[in-house]
């Protein structure tokens, strides 16, 4: 009886941590980092961003920044009036994608957004997990070469959970 309770608790913990383990850290611009003259829209094309993933903006502190803006701010390269609450300035800024939908980021320094193409727009999909919907019937996994972190791979978890269920039943 104690073994069954232990296995059931293990199963609950294993299922609840799958979304945490499966999040991906995206280094914005890969080896280029967050810099002028790079096409961030092309970089984002083909990538799938999900709730729980992280965007990591790497740049020289003081040379650039990251501003969270709305669609209008993105189109006009306009720094929000409350930039102290919307801006990031560490040079190694980590933004957790906490909700689905469109997200927009620009560099608010000088004309980096307008002339330097330092702007990024992405669509964040709901979190991947057991029972969570995906963005399409055949989602395209993010290649490990395009991001750091752990890609969402569930087949091994499903095998472990299935084996635990069988062990509990017999």
């Amino acid at each position: 009886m104690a073994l069954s309770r232990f296995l059931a608790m293990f199963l609950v913990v294993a299922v609840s941590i799958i979304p945490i383990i499966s999040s991906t850290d995206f280094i914005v611009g890969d080896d280029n980092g967050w810099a002028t003259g790079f096409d961030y829209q092309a970089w984002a094309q083909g990538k799938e961003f999900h709730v729980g993933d992280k965007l990591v903006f790497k740049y020289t502190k003081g040379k650039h920044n990251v501003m969270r803006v709305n669609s209008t701010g993105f189109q006009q390269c306009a720094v929000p009036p409350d930039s102290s609450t919307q801006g990031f300035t560490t040079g190694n800024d980590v933004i957790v994608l906490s909700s689905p939908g469109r997200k927009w980021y620009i560099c608010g320094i000088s004309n980096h957004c307008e002339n330097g193409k330092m702007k990024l727009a992405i669509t964040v999909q709901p979190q991947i997990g057991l029972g969570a919907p995906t963005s399409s019937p055949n989602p395209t996994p993010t290649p490990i070469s395009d991001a750091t972190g752990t890609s969402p791979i569930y087949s091994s978890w499903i095998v472990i959970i299935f084996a635990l269920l069988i062990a509990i039943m017999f």
Side-chain angles (χ1 to χ4, degrees), residues 46-76:
K47 289 179 174 57
E48 282 198 17
F49 302 94
H50 295 272
V51 170
D53 289 347
K54 296 175 189 154
L55 295 178
V56 181
F57 290 85
K58 294 187 175 206
Y59 56 92
T60 303
K61 184 177 181 176
K63 188 173 180 183
H64 302 294
N65 62 26
V66 179
M67 295 287 153
R68 193 180 318 214
V69 295
N70 60 22
S71 175
T72 303
F74 180 81
Q75 294 300 324
Q76 297 174 355

Side-chain angles (χ1 to χ4, degrees), residues 61-111:
K61 184 177 181 176
K63 188 173 180 183
H64 302 294
N65 62 26
V66 179
M67 295 287 153
R68 193 180 318 214
V69 295
N70 60 22
S71 175
T72 303
F74 180 81
Q75 294 300 324
Q76 297 174 355
C77 287
V79 175
D82 58 343
S83 60
S84 62
T85 61
Q86 300 296 315
F88 302 89
T89 59
T90 68
N92 190 31
D93 304 320
V94 179
I95 299 173
V96 177
L97 302 175
S98 58
S99 62
R102 292 290 287 166
K103 310 293 179 202
W104 301 272
Y105 305 94
I106 65 170
C107 179
I109 305 267
S110 187
N111 61 355

Side-chain angles (χ1 to χ4, degrees), residues 2 13 15 17 45 62-63 80 88 109 124 153 161:
V13 170
V15 168
I17 65 169
Q45 194 170 20
K63 188 173 180 183
F88 302 89
I109 305 267
V124 180
I153 301 172
I161 292 169

